Amino acid sequence: MCGIVAYIGPKDATPFLLEGLARLEYRGYDSAGVAVTGRSGGIKLRKVKGRVADLAAAVPARFKGTTGIGHTRWATHGVPSDANAHPHLDNAERIAVVHNGIIENADELRAKLAADGAVFRSETDTEVLAHLIAANVAEGVELEDAVRAALGRVVGTYGIAVLDAERPDRIVVARNGSPIVLGIGEKEMFAASDVSALVRYTRQVVHLEDGELATVRADGFRTFTEDARTTHRQPSTVDWEVDSYDTGGFEHFLLKEIHEQPGSVERTLSGRLDERFATAHLGGLNLDARELREIRRVKILGCGSAYYAGEMGAQLIEELARIPAHSEPASEFRYRNPVIEADTLYVAVSQSGETYDTLAAVQEVKRKGGRVLGVVNTVGSAIARECDGGIYLHAGPEVSVASTKAFTSTVVAFALLALHFGRIHDLSPADGRRIVSALKALPDQIREVLEQSEAIAGLAAEYADSAGMMFIGRVRGYPVAREGAQKLKEISYVHAEAYPASELKHGPLALISPELPTVALVPDDELLDKNLTTLGEIKARSGRVIAVGHRRPEEKLADHCILVPKSEPELDPLLLNIPLQLLAYHAAVALGRDVDKPRNLAKSVTVE
């Protein structure tokens, strides 16, 4: 689970490799390395434990080559170390390999290779690939065929790039469950695991499919399958701007992306609201009204924040369309041998469109004849290509590991889907107009919340040293509480737990004390009185309360209050979540955390 870059052309590869790795560092950042070769032959290798900046400092001035590969790692096999960093070489130092994914039969292959004389220098599964490929090229086989033969012995997932010191005119890349994208330049070619490494150099890209390989040369590329059948891939154009990968004057990408949410919501809504018929235009669903009316249930699949966005989406679909809906972790879905129903619509949610657990769940549904829509941010991603239709978020690139603007745009996309469903079913035109009007107002309301950033920073600093935090909400508020707890955990490392407010008295109330503050979602809705009663229970046990809602509770019920603008009840959760993003961010800053690259985590989880 990491970042891959590759270059071949007339220029020195090293500057591109280092810059590309810096742009991909959010995908994995415990070690990094580069390998280059050229007409003079031989492989030059540098790799270090640590960040890309550490690698750049370790690369000597004369480290040059016109063909090169690079990697930034998130450990799955072996602790972060210089030896375990990629690229990995064979014993003759002819073959260099970088790899994303997991080789499940690595131990078995390692034992066989060691018996044949291979000497392993690392604990990684990836090094097995270097030795397998080297064993084939040593017998006079072309590099492409050597890679195909090696992959034929592998069980698992991979995105790889392979360099051969004796064939510096090519790089071979392959994909199975982990993304590889080719970039087409002028008499030069690029490859990467994410387009963010490519946009400064080219907008023309080719996404490889699972089971597909490519030979990349300076003047073009050829794609083919593992059984050597030629495939034909047409380039597509990337519309993301280079500036999207700069902090733009903000201290961190995360803060920038929080503040970009009014614009990202506007893009998600753009061209999709139909005021005349009080509905939403979603042509990408590839489902007509008759087909939609036949759907009796919606199942939403996602991981992490995508799962919590799915919970908010399920609530919207049930309320507006009156169709049973449920969100489930995609990572668990296929392992319970799910019953796939013909009248159920499955919706896969992933910012990157490459989350392996979610992709595997999509493939399980498809294998059993189910219909799947994708809600993704990345055009051309694996999940987008695998699904029958869907909704692109158009939120723009999200660099920080913790998702903010993509989360919010995902919930907006579900609001559009729920509105579309609802108007086909029994949602009245008046209620449709109510939701359309509320959606149009969201960007300005988010801007209003963001104006409280400095005040929330002071609050976060006051509570940052807490041993933990409790987040509570009822019905619509509970998924918001779960997402709020997730954000605090992942970027500040403060333990946080989320519970339905109604469940507090059934056990978790035992935890309440002055040392454990509670963040309570208290919208001005039909459950306001019940939520205020819960606050009373907490204060009666000397618990501190930060209330987030539309009106200020009595002083005896809350120590602090964050007010948000009132939307329609169904959309209130979107606005209640924004202060929780700011609270988590400012708490992390107060604690001196690496906000954009929290420990142990990576942005795009492409391993199981």
Side-chain angles (χ1 to χ4, degrees), residues 262-378:
S264 62
V265 167
E266 286 171 343
R267 288 192 298 275
T268 303
L269 293 172
S270 180
R272 288 170 167 165
L273 291 176
D274 182 343
E275 296 188 69
R276 179 184 177 188
F277 293 105
T279 188
H281 284 304
L282 296 172
L285 299 185
N286 298 327
L287 291 166
D288 61 28
R290 185 183 299 275
E291 291 172 302
L292 287 171
R293 285 195 63 85
E294 292 172 353
I295 291 168
R296 294 290 176 263
R297 187 181 307 276
V298 177
K299 173 77 74 174
I300 302 169
L301 305 169
C303 297
S305 290
Y307 163 46
Y308 302 139
E311 288 192 314
M312 294 170 70
Q315 180 77 27
L316 281 160
I317 290 167
E318 288 204 345
E319 286 197 81
L320 297 180
R322 304 306 299 155
I323 300 171
H326 175 69
S327 181
E328 180 176 347
S331 52
E332 296 291 318
F333 175 74
R334 65 191 172 114
Y335 288 108
R336 61 176 183 80
N337 192 21
V339 176
I340 304 301
E341 301 167 304
D343 58 358
T344 296
L345 179 66
Y346 297 85
V347 184
V349 185
S350 170
Q351 185 281 136
S352 68
E354 302 287 353
T355 307
Y356 183 77
D357 284 319
T358 307
L359 177 60
V362 170
Q363 291 168 341
E364 178 72 3
V365 174
K366 296 275 288 182
R367 187 180 67 82
K368 294 183 174 180
R371 184 180 311 208
V372 191
L373 298 182
V375 177
V376 301
N377 193 37
T378 307

Side-chain angles (χ1 to χ4, degrees), residues 160-199:
I160 65 170
V162 183
L163 194 65
D164 182 351
E166 295 188 12
R167 296 180 176 88
D169 64 333
R170 73 196 70 178
I171 297 170
V172 175
V173 297
R175 168 197 175 123
N176 183 47
S178 192
I180 292 291
V181 185
L182 309 182
I184 303 170
E186 290 291 331
K187 297 182 180 178
E188 60 185 356
M189 287 286 296
F190 312 87
S193 52
D194 190 295
V195 295
S196 60
L198 306 177
V199 291

Side-chain angles (χ1 to χ4, degrees), residues 26 244-247 250 252-264 267 395-406 408 446 450 578 581 596 603:
Y26 67 97
S244 299
Y245 299 96
D246 296 324
T247 55
F250 288 91
H252 298 100
F253 277 107
L254 184 59
L255 186 60
K256 177 193 177 192
E257 288 158 9
I258 289 171
H259 281 268
E260 285 177 338
Q261 288 177 113
S264 62
R267 288 192 298 275
E398 192 175 64
V399 175
S400 187
V401 167
S403 181
T404 51
K405 66 178 182 178
T408 300
I446 293 172
L450 294 175
I578 307 299
Q581 296 175 345
D596 288 327
K603 180 67 174 176

Side-chain angles (χ1 to χ4, degrees), residues 365-479:
V365 174
K366 296 275 288 182
R367 187 180 67 82
K368 294 183 174 180
R371 184 180 311 208
V372 191
L373 298 182
V375 177
V376 301
N377 193 37
T378 307
V379 176
S381 58
I383 291 172
R385 297 196 307 273
E386 190 82 32
C387 289
D388 300 297
I391 304 171
Y392 280 121
L393 302 179
H394 302 302
E398 192 175 64
V399 175
S400 187
V401 167
S403 181
T404 51
K405 66 178 182 178
F407 176 89
T408 300
S409 284
T410 298
V411 180
V412 170
F414 274 119
L416 291 168
L417 182 63
L419 174 62
H420 186 63
F421 263 116
R423 290 293 289 122
I424 287 171
H425 285 264
D426 300 317
L427 188 72
S428 70
D431 276 330
R433 285 190 291 271
R434 177 175 63 86
I435 298 301
V436 168
S437 178
L439 286 168
K440 290 175 63 179
L442 279 176
D444 285 338
Q445 290 179 312
I446 293 172
R447 291 185 181 97
E448 188 176 336
V449 177
L450 294 175
E451 290 173 0
Q452 301 181 61
S453 182
E454 287 190 19
I456 294 172
L459 191 60
E462 180 178 341
Y463 283 88
D465 289 329
S466 301
M469 275 194 176
M470 184 78 76
F471 286 73
I472 61 172
R474 289 191 75 131
V475 188
R476 302 183 190 102
Y478 177 49

Side-chain angles (χ1 to χ4, degrees), residues 210-277:
D210 279 350
E212 196 169 31
L213 300 86
T215 299
V216 182
R217 301 175 186 266
D219 59 357
F221 67 96
R222 180 177 73 88
T223 57
F224 50 96
T225 63
E226 290 181 9
D227 59 1
R229 289 183 294 106
T230 297
T231 58
H232 300 281
R233 291 276 162 255
Q234 294 301 315
S236 59
T237 302
V238 177
D239 59 2
W240 289 352
E241 297 296 328
V242 175
D243 291 347
S244 299
Y245 299 96
D246 296 324
T247 55
F250 288 91
E251 186 176 356
H252 298 100
F253 277 107
L254 184 59
L255 186 60
K256 177 193 177 192
E257 288 158 9
I258 289 171
H259 281 268
E260 285 177 338
Q261 288 177 113
S264 62
V265 167
E266 286 171 343
R267 288 192 298 275
T268 303
L269 293 172
S270 180
R272 288 170 167 165
L273 291 176
D274 182 343
E275 296 188 69
R276 179 184 177 188
F277 293 105

